[in-house]
Amino acid sequence: MSTDTLATSSSVPVEPNAPDLSLIICTLNEGAAIRAVIEEICDTLAGISHEIIVVDDNSQDNTHAEVRAVAVMRPNVRLHVRVGERGLSSAAIKGWDIARGRFLGVMDGDGQHDPAAIRELAELILKGDKDLVCVSRYIGKTETGLSGLRDLGSKAFTWATGLVLKVPLSDPMSGCFMMTREYYQSARPKLTGIGFKILLDIAASTKVKPRFAEVKASLRQRQGGESKLDLRVVIDLVALLIEKATNGLLPARFVMFVGVGLSGVVVYTVVLIAAHLLFRSGDYLPIYRFRVLTDDLVSYSLAIWLSMTWNFFLNNILTFRDKRLHGWGLVRGLLGFYLACSIGALISLGLALLMRGQLNMHWLPAGVLAAVLSSVWNFWGATLLSWRTPKSK
């Protein structure tokens, strides 16, 4: 079989009595809407063999209770709760990995996706002549359901993703689509699971050019919960595009880590300048007059420590938001980050002093260049000791 084609769906090994369609709903504090969403979609898919898998990121509201209450009356509904993990993309991947259906789909849990469009998707994919079918907001003159600024941003990213995708989707930002199990499996090894735009991740992670179709639909009014769209989602998307554009040479998480590191370089530079001025002026240290080497040692060490602390907290918010640390885990993670970066810090300090003393380089470029060179080591060490991937349960 060519790497650019897919086998027919009949070749997929499935469990006896498995449903035709497995539809994943990813939730985080969607208790106000999830019961109505499940009931509505189950009624809409009447006559189609299907299962609904709710993958929940350990919601702190009544989401679990609502899903279990529906599951009592509808045995095709099941709940999977993840602890210590966050993110729609990774949740969808988890749901598809445990799904039993021949065809796989995903939709939101807040009621914004039109059940009529989902029914149309199901009928299209079940015909067996398509590998991927998606809901699109940008076919014809359909209202997208987004506000002006969000609509403009979505269109801009749609244009940008067209540069890296293997399929000309009109709405690669769509969060509602269905696919064959083979198409999913062709993309599975390269999926990043980062962020919220799982369709983009899938379409850019396979060499297969799928047979695809799109269904026109706009977003409905949200029935509950809050929008997950914020600056962090935009950062996730940009990092994902860079990973796919470089064919994985620059992983999305590393791109974000480097971006945080660059902001840390700014902090590092500001502290270094402040410390340099402090020690050189003598205004605040009238008694002690450190030699130049001692001044440099203290300045560089202080700048390294404060920039490391800054990088840890910003990485916890952005780069590793799906594994965000809290409470004592945050303290342990910070200590692990210090340990992981200590070797990089020593390398940075040694290089800075070497360039300063032996190469007679100016104190500012010497410190900045040394910090940049240690970033790769810091990434791998931090990933291992502070934000280790939880074992699958």
Side-chain angles (χ1 to χ4, degrees):
M1 181 179 70
S2 168
T3 57
D4 294 330
T5 61
L6 291 171
T8 61
S9 59
S10 61
S11 66
V12 179
V14 295
E15 300 177 14
N17 302 318
D20 289 330
L21 174 66
S22 293
L23 187 59
I24 311 303
I25 303 178
C26 306
T27 58
L28 176 62
N29 299 326
E30 305 284 6
I34 190 61
R35 182 191 290 232
V37 169
I38 295 175
E39 294 282 7
E40 185 178 37
I41 199 63
C42 285
D43 291 341
T44 301
L45 293 178
I48 295 176
S49 173
H50 68 280
E51 66 174 347
I52 305 293
I53 303 176
V54 177
V55 180
D56 183 79
D57 285 351
N58 198 25
S59 292
Q60 299 304 300
D61 63 357
N62 62 333
T63 300
H64 301 170
E66 291 292 298
V67 175
R68 291 190 178 104
V70 176
V72 170
M73 304 301 297
R74 296 183 183 270
N76 64 322
V77 175
R78 53 184 170 128
L79 171 67
H80 178 87
V81 179
R82 304 193 306 168
V83 178
E85 297 178 87
R86 286 287 179 89
L88 185 146
S89 291
S90 59
I93 292 170
K94 179 62 180 180
W96 291 326
D97 284 347
I98 64 176
R100 300 183 298 122
R102 295 187 299 123
F103 301 97
L104 308 172
V106 66
M107 63 173 288
D108 288 347
D110 57 12
Q112 286 193 294
H113 289 140
D114 187 351
I118 294 174
R119 174 78 190 201
E120 190 172 350
L121 289 183
E123 291 175 346
L124 280 172
I125 199 70
L126 289 173
K127 288 181 179 178
D129 60 352
K130 295 290 185 292
D131 305 306
L132 175 68
V133 292
C134 315
V135 165
S136 173
R137 296 161 291 180
Y138 302 122
I139 298 176
K141 297 182 179 180
T142 301
E143 292 294 327
T144 64
L146 296 175
S147 62
L149 185 59
R150 290 183 63 192
D151 186 42
L152 181 62
S154 182
K155 288 179 179 177
F157 278 116
T158 295
W159 172 82
T161 57
L163 302 177
V164 299
L165 290 184
K166 305 297 189 299
V167 53
L169 298 171
S170 66
D171 190 4
M173 304 295 108
S174 176
C176 183
F177 61 93
M178 297 178 189
M179 59 190 165
T180 63
R181 184 174 286 272
E182 291 97 339
Y183 184 64
Y184 170 65
Q185 290 174 338
S186 71
R188 182 64 178 88
K190 293 186 176 181
L191 292 179
T192 68
I194 292 177
F196 286 71
K197 303 307 178 184
I198 183 61
L199 176 57
L200 168 62
D201 200 356
I202 288 176
S205 296
T206 176
K207 295 181 179 180
V208 172
K209 185 175 182 179
R211 302 165 296 173
F212 77 98
E214 297 178 314
V215 172
K216 180 171 64 176
S218 59
L219 295 177
R220 302 190 304 175
Q221 185 70 31
R222 182 178 288 107
Q223 296 181 25
E226 299 179 353
S227 173
K228 309 301 188 296
L229 181 63
D230 55 20
L231 179 60
R232 292 169 296 182
V233 175
V234 175
I235 293 173
D236 289 342
L237 182 55
V238 171
L240 179 60
L241 286 174
I242 292 175
E243 173 174 331
K244 300 308 178 183
T246 60
N247 197 29
L249 180 63
L250 296 175
R253 205 182 293 276
F254 178 72
V255 171
M256 289 188 283
F257 189 88
V258 169
V260 168
L262 291 176
S263 73
V265 170
V266 174
V267 173
Y268 176 91
T269 303
V270 170
V271 174
L272 200 57
I273 292 173
H276 179 79
L277 293 175
L278 176 67
F279 291 138
R280 292 296 182 268
S281 68
D283 293 340
Y284 297 95
L285 296 170
I287 299 177
Y288 303 100
R289 302 298 298 177
F290 294 103
R291 291 179 295 110
V292 172
L293 180 60
T294 305
D295 290 348
D296 287 341
L297 179 62
V298 174
S299 298
Y300 288 134
S301 298
L302 181 62
I304 288 171
W305 174 66
L306 289 177
S307 62
M308 283 174 58
T309 304
W310 166 274
N311 286 349
F312 169 78
F313 284 102
L314 198 55
N315 274 311
N316 196 50
I317 294 172
L318 295 176
T319 310
F320 299 96
R321 63 181 297 191
D322 55 325
K323 306 174 185 179
R324 189 175 304 164
L325 304 172
H326 301 276
W328 283 110
L330 184 69
V331 176
R332 290 192 296 269
L334 177 59
L335 295 177
F337 189 80
Y338 284 153
L339 176 61
C341 295
S342 61
I343 295 178
L346 290 174
I347 292 173
S348 179
L349 177 60
L351 287 174
L353 293 174
L354 176 65
M355 289 184 283
R356 174 77 168 139
Q358 300 299 317
L359 302 180
N360 200 29
M361 184 179 291
H362 188 272
W363 55 269
L364 180 56
V368 173
L369 180 59
V372 172
L373 292 175
S374 64
S375 62
V376 175
W377 171 269
N378 290 343
F379 172 71
W380 295 110
T383 301
L384 178 65
L385 294 180
S386 295
W387 294 282
R388 183 191 297 270
T389 301
K391 294 182 179 180
S392 300
K393 296 182 179 180

